[in-house]
PDB file of all heavy atoms in Angstrom:
ATOM      1  N   ARG U 797     -15.777-295.392 -13.436  1.00 40.00           N
ATOM      2  CA  ARG U 797     -14.705-296.324 -13.777  1.00 40.00           C
ATOM      3  C   ARG U 797     -15.040-297.736 -13.318  1.00 40.00           C
ATOM      4  O   ARG U 797     -14.475-298.708 -13.828  1.00 40.00           O
ATOM      5  CB  ARG U 797     -13.388-295.874 -13.146  1.00 40.00           C
ATOM      6  CG  ARG U 797     -13.419-295.835 -11.613  1.00 40.00           C
ATOM      7  CD  ARG U 797     -12.068-295.497 -10.998  1.00 40.00           C
ATOM      8  NE  ARG U 797     -12.178-295.237  -9.570  1.00 40.00           N
ATOM      9  CZ  ARG U 797     -12.188-296.181  -8.644  1.00 40.00           C
ATOM     10  NH1 ARG U 797     -12.101-297.451  -8.982  1.00 40.00           N
ATOM     11  NH2 ARG U 797     -12.289-295.866  -7.368  1.00 40.00           N
ATOM     12  N   VAL U 798     -15.931-297.907 -12.347  1.00 42.00           N
ATOM     13  CA  VAL U 798     -16.207-299.234 -11.786  1.00 42.00           C
ATOM     14  C   VAL U 798     -17.685-299.544 -11.667  1.00 42.00           C
ATOM     15  O   VAL U 798     -18.090-300.690 -11.754  1.00 42.00           O
ATOM     16  CB  VAL U 798     -15.548-299.380 -10.388  1.00 42.00           C
ATOM     17  CG1 VAL U 798     -14.072-299.659 -10.533  1.00 42.00           C
ATOM     18  CG2 VAL U 798     -15.770-298.146  -9.544  1.00 42.00           C
ATOM     19  N   GLY U 799     -18.514-298.533 -11.468  1.00 43.00           N
ATOM     20  CA  GLY U 799     -19.941-298.796 -11.279  1.00 43.00           C
ATOM     21  C   GLY U 799     -20.663-298.935 -12.597  1.00 43.00           C
ATOM     22  O   GLY U 799     -20.075-298.965 -13.663  1.00 43.00           O
ATOM     23  N   ARG U 800     -22.003-298.999 -12.514  1.00 45.00           N
ATOM     24  CA  ARG U 800     -22.783-299.260 -13.733  1.00 45.00           C
ATOM     25  C   ARG U 800     -23.132-298.009 -14.507  1.00 45.00           C
ATOM     26  O   ARG U 800     -23.076-297.987 -15.721  1.00 45.00           O
ATOM     27  CB  ARG U 800     -24.085-299.966 -13.357  1.00 45.00           C
ATOM     28  CG  ARG U 800     -23.870-301.325 -12.777  1.00 45.00           C
ATOM     29  CD  ARG U 800     -25.199-302.017 -12.638  1.00 45.00           C
ATOM     30  NE  ARG U 800     -25.146-302.999 -11.575  1.00 45.00           N
ATOM     31  CZ  ARG U 800     -26.225-303.535 -11.032  1.00 45.00           C
ATOM     32  NH1 ARG U 800     -27.409-303.182 -11.438  1.00 45.00           N
ATOM     33  NH2 ARG U 800     -26.101-304.423 -10.078  1.00 45.00           N
ATOM     34  N   GLY U 801     -23.536-296.956 -13.787  1.00 50.00           N
ATOM     35  CA  GLY U 801     -24.134-295.854 -14.525  1.00 50.00           C
ATOM     36  C   GLY U 801     -23.438-294.535 -14.460  1.00 50.00           C
ATOM     37  O   GLY U 801     -23.637-293.677 -15.289  1.00 50.00           O
ATOM     38  N   GLY U 802     -22.590-294.312 -13.436  1.00 66.00           N
ATOM     39  CA  GLY U 802     -21.941-293.015 -13.308  1.00 66.00           C
ATOM     40  C   GLY U 802     -22.941-291.904 -13.002  1.00 66.00           C
ATOM     41  O   GLY U 802     -24.011-292.127 -12.453  1.00 66.00           O
ATOM     42  N   MET U 803     -22.597-290.673 -13.416  1.00 78.00           N
ATOM     43  CA  MET U 803     -23.416-289.511 -13.065  1.00 78.00           C
ATOM     44  C   MET U 803     -24.770-289.524 -13.754  1.00 78.00           C
ATOM     45  O   MET U 803     -25.763-289.043 -13.200  1.00 78.00           O
ATOM     46  CB  MET U 803     -22.652-288.225 -13.401  1.00 78.00           C
ATOM     47  CG  MET U 803     -23.303-286.981 -12.853  1.00 78.00           C
ATOM     48  SD  MET U 803     -23.564-286.992 -11.049  1.00 78.00           S
ATOM     49  CE  MET U 803     -21.885-286.765 -10.472  1.00 78.00           C
ATOM     50  N   THR U 804     -24.839-290.076 -14.959  1.00 81.00           N
ATOM     51  CA  THR U 804     -26.125-290.131 -15.659  1.00 81.00           C
ATOM     52  C   THR U 804     -27.162-290.876 -14.821  1.00 81.00           C
ATOM     53  O   THR U 804     -28.305-290.429 -14.671  1.00 81.00           O
ATOM     54  CB  THR U 804     -25.968-290.824 -17.025  1.00 81.00           C
ATOM     55  OG1 THR U 804     -24.909-290.202 -17.748  1.00 81.00           O
ATOM     56  CG2 THR U 804     -27.249-290.748 -17.830  1.00 81.00           C
ATOM     57  N   ALA U 805     -26.763-292.016 -14.268  1.00 81.00           N
ATOM     58  CA  ALA U 805     -27.676-292.804 -13.439  1.00 81.00           C
ATOM     59  C   ALA U 805     -28.050-292.060 -12.169  1.00 81.00           C
ATOM     60  O   ALA U 805     -29.207-292.098 -11.727  1.00 81.00           O
ATOM     61  CB  ALA U 805     -27.031-294.143 -13.094  1.00 81.00           C
ATOM     62  N   LYS U 806     -27.086-291.371 -11.584  1.00 85.00           N
ATOM     63  CA  LYS U 806     -27.363-290.639 -10.341  1.00 85.00           C
ATOM     64  C   LYS U 806     -28.366-289.514 -10.577  1.00 85.00           C
ATOM     65  O   LYS U 806     -29.284-289.295  -9.793  1.00 85.00           O
ATOM     66  CB  LYS U 806     -26.062-290.089  -9.755  1.00 85.00           C
ATOM     67  CG  LYS U 806     -25.191-291.147  -9.110  1.00 85.00           C
ATOM     68  CD  LYS U 806     -23.899-290.544  -8.571  1.00 85.00           C
ATOM     69  CE  LYS U 806     -23.082-291.625  -7.888  1.00 85.00           C
ATOM     70  NZ  LYS U 806     -22.760-292.747  -8.781  1.00 85.00           N
ATOM     71  N   VAL U 807     -28.165-288.773 -11.665  1.00 88.00           N
ATOM     72  CA  VAL U 807     -29.075-287.658 -11.965  1.00 88.00           C
ATOM     73  C   VAL U 807     -30.485-288.178 -12.230  1.00 88.00           C
ATOM     74  O   VAL U 807     -31.474-287.599 -11.752  1.00 88.00           O
ATOM     75  CB  VAL U 807     -28.547-286.835 -13.153  1.00 88.00           C
ATOM     76  CG1 VAL U 807     -29.590-285.828 -13.618  1.00 88.00           C
ATOM     77  CG2 VAL U 807     -27.260-286.105 -12.757  1.00 88.00           C
ATOM     78  N   LYS U 808     -30.590-289.264 -12.966  1.00 87.00           N
ATOM     79  CA  LYS U 808     -31.913-289.835 -13.251  1.00 87.00           C
ATOM     80  C   LYS U 808     -32.616-290.241 -11.961  1.00 87.00           C
ATOM     81  O   LYS U 808     -33.790-289.920 -11.746  1.00 87.00           O
ATOM     82  CB  LYS U 808     -31.769-291.035 -14.185  1.00 87.00           C
ATOM     83  CG  LYS U 808     -33.105-291.598 -14.662  1.00 87.00           C
ATOM     84  CD  LYS U 808     -32.894-292.692 -15.701  1.00 87.00           C
ATOM     85  CE  LYS U 808     -34.249-293.222 -16.194  1.00 87.00           C
ATOM     86  NZ  LYS U 808     -34.087-294.294 -17.210  1.00 87.00           N
TER      87      LYS U 808
END
Side-chain angles (χ1 to χ4, degrees):
R797 62 175 170 83
V798 282
R800 295 189 206 164
M803 190 56 73
T804 308
K806 286 179 178 58
V807 170
K808 186 174 181 180

